[in-house]
Amino acid sequence: MRIDEIKSAFETEIAKCQTLQELQELKVKYLGKSGELTALLKSIKDIPAEERPSFGAKVNALRNEMEQQFAEKSEALKASDMQRRLREEKVDVSLTSCKSLGALHPVTLIENEICELMTSMGFEVLRGPEIETDYYNFKALNIPDDHPARDMQDTFYITDSILLRTHTSPMQARLMEKKKPPIKMVCPGKVFRSDSDASHSPVFHQIEALVVDKNITLCDLKGTLEYIASHLFGKDTKVRFRPSFFPFTEPSVEVDLTCSNCGGKGCSLCKGTGWIEVLGAGMVNPFVLENCGIDSKKYNGYAFGIGLERIAMIKYGIPDIRLFYENDQRFLKQFGK
C-alpha cells in the first residue's frame, strides 16, 4: 500500500537527519503543499467511495505520527547543537595566561597628575566640545579674522563656521558667559591642528587654566606655575617668563623651565641653554572679558595652556611625539612599572 511505503521511507530518512536544515527540508518533502502526504489526500477522489473514510483516517493518522516525530527530532537536534556549541565555544574563565597588567597612557598620567594638582588648589575641572564654532574658538578669544591660525593649512574646518577646536580655550569663554567671578577652572582635552612631524601631531592634548577675580597679578600666575613645575619636575625647578604675544592675553609670556635633564647647566636636550620652553601664558585680555560679559575694570585674571605631550616628552625623555600614538607595546609597557 502506498501509505506503508511512504511511512517506511519517512522513518528511514528522518533517522538520517543530522541538522535542523535537513529536518526542515524533509518536512517540506512529506507535509508541504506539494508533499507526499498532500498528494495522497488529493488522490482520495480516485478511491471508491466506500473506502474513502478508512483511507482518509489512515492518512491523517500518518500525518499526526509524522508531526510528532518531527517535533521530537527537532528537540533532539536542538539539544545536540547546543551541546556542540557549548563544547566549541567554551571559555575557561580561570585561565591565567595574562603575563602583565595594562597601564595608563603617559599622556593620561600627566593629565591626571596636573588635574590633581589644580584641584588641590581649588580649580574645577571642566571639559568642552571638540567640535567648536568659529565664535568660541576664535572671535570670543580676540583672535581676528586675519589671524594665521584661521588659515585652512592650520585649522581643520568642517564648514565655514564649524571646526575642530585648535585649543581648549573655548571652554574658558563658554564658562565666563555663564558664571561670574571668582572663576578658577582647568580644561583638559584633545585639540586639532594641521601639523605633523617629530615634535607636532595633528591631534594632541592640552590643559588650559583660567583664573578671574579681583586684583590678580602676574605674580599669582608665576606662583601657580612654580607649584606645578616643582611637583612635575622637582622642587629645584625654576620658572622664567619671556615677553610674547597672544591675542587672548595682555601682557603675554612664554614660560621656560630649567632643564630637567641637566638642572640648568646646559645639555643636548635644552641645546645648551639650561632652559626648556614649555607653555604660553598671560593676563586675560580685557577684550576677552568684555566679550564674555565681565567688567574688565572690576575684574582681571590669568590664563595658561600646557601641551600634555610636551610635558610628557620632557619628563620621560621621549624624543618623538609620534611614539605616543603608534601603540608600540615596548614603549607603552614602560609606564606600567
Side-chain angles (χ1 to χ4, degrees):
M1 182 183 287
R2 177 66 173 156
I3 293 178
D4 293 333
E5 293 175 359
I6 292 175
K7 180 180 179 181
S8 177
F10 167 75
E11 290 176 346
T12 300
E13 291 184 53
I14 196 171
K16 295 179 180 178
C17 284
Q18 299 295 318
T19 67
L20 291 171
Q21 177 64 31
E22 292 177 355
L23 187 66
Q24 179 60 30
E25 292 173 357
L26 188 65
K27 190 172 184 178
V28 171
K29 177 180 178 180
Y30 284 95
L31 300 181
K33 291 183 178 180
S34 302
E36 297 283 354
L37 226 57
T38 305
L40 275 181
L41 288 174
K42 289 180 179 179
S43 68
I44 199 170
K45 64 181 184 298
D46 302 324
I47 297 175
E50 64 275 10
E51 296 180 10
R52 290 176 185 175
S54 175
F55 181 80
K58 290 180 180 180
V59 172
N60 287 330
L62 180 56
R63 175 184 292 275
N64 293 336
E65 183 179 344
M66 285 182 174
E67 288 177 345
Q68 182 177 352
Q69 289 192 48
F70 275 123
E72 292 173 353
K73 188 70 173 182
S74 177
E75 291 300 317
L77 289 176
K78 287 179 181 179
S80 175
D81 185 61
M82 177 59 71
Q83 291 301 317
R84 177 190 60 78
R85 291 178 59 189
L86 289 173
R87 288 193 305 272
E88 295 177 358
E89 300 174 15
K90 181 180 179 181
V91 176
D92 186 355
V93 296
S94 66
L95 191 63
T96 56
S97 62
C98 183
K99 296 181 180 179
S100 62
L101 297 176
L104 292 177
H105 193 278
V107 173
T108 303
L109 291 173
I110 295 296
E111 179 182 318
N112 290 347
E113 188 172 357
I114 294 176
C115 284
E116 288 174 7
L117 287 172
M118 301 304 285
T119 53
S120 72
M121 292 188 286
F123 286 76
E124 61 176 328
V125 179
L126 302 175
R127 296 184 184 271
E130 294 178 1
I131 299 177
E132 263 296 358
T133 64
D134 176 271
Y135 174 78
Y136 284 112
N137 198 80
F138 293 127
K139 290 181 181 177
L141 300 174
N142 197 42
I143 301 177
D145 291 338
D146 59 352
H147 193 280
R150 289 173 172 267
D151 291 345
M152 293 293 290
Q153 63 264 29
D154 292 308
T155 300
F156 293 105
Y157 283 91
I158 299 172
T159 68
D160 290 340
S161 59
I162 303 294
L163 48 87
L164 298 182
R165 66 182 179 186
T166 60
H167 45 190
T168 54
S169 301
M171 193 58 198
Q172 299 178 11
R174 289 179 177 274
L175 179 63
M176 286 190 287
E177 285 183 345
K178 297 178 181 179
K179 182 179 180 180
K180 300 311 173 187
I183 292 172
K184 294 180 73 175
M185 63 82 71
V186 289
C187 179
K190 291 179 184 176
V191 296
F192 309 84
R193 297 181 189 175
S194 185
D195 202 357
S196 181
D197 55 43
S199 59
H200 298 86
S201 170
V203 182
F204 58 103
H205 299 76
Q206 277 190 345
I207 183 168
E208 303 225 8
L210 172 71
V211 171
V212 180
D213 206 344
K214 296 178 180 178
N215 304 316
I216 302 296
T217 69
L218 277 173
C219 291
D220 298 308
L221 170 60
K222 191 172 184 183
T224 300
L225 293 175
E226 286 176 341
Y227 179 77
I228 295 172
S230 66
H231 279 75
L232 288 175
F233 301 107
K235 62 180 181 179
D236 295 327
T237 304
K238 294 180 175 59
V239 175
R240 181 177 73 176
F241 282 178
R242 288 181 291 107
S244 187
F245 170 78
F246 302 110
F248 35 86
T249 53
E250 180 61 39
S252 302
V253 294
E254 295 283 358
V255 181
D256 302 332
L257 303 181
T258 48
C259 179
S260 59
N261 185 56
C262 66
K265 297 177 182 179
C267 66
S268 59
L269 180 63
C270 61
K271 299 178 181 178
T273 65
W275 297 90
I276 296 180
E277 180 185 324
V278 292
L279 60 96
M283 302 300 291
V284 179
N285 194 307
F287 288 112
V288 175
L289 295 175
E290 296 292 342
N291 284 343
C292 298
I294 295 177
D295 187 351
S296 62
K297 295 180 180 179
K298 185 177 180 181
Y299 297 101
N300 66 342
Y302 66 76
F304 62 84
I306 302 174
L308 296 179
E309 283 86 351
R310 174 69 170 160
I311 298 298
M313 289 174 75
I314 296 170
K315 183 168 184 176
Y316 300 125
I318 299 169
D320 193 322
I321 194 173
R322 290 170 291 196
L323 288 169
F324 290 120
Y325 313 113
E326 292 175 347
N327 292 325
D328 189 324
Q329 292 295 311
R330 295 169 299 176
F331 171 73
L332 296 174
K333 284 180 180 178
Q334 300 175 67
F335 303 94
K337 298 179 181 178

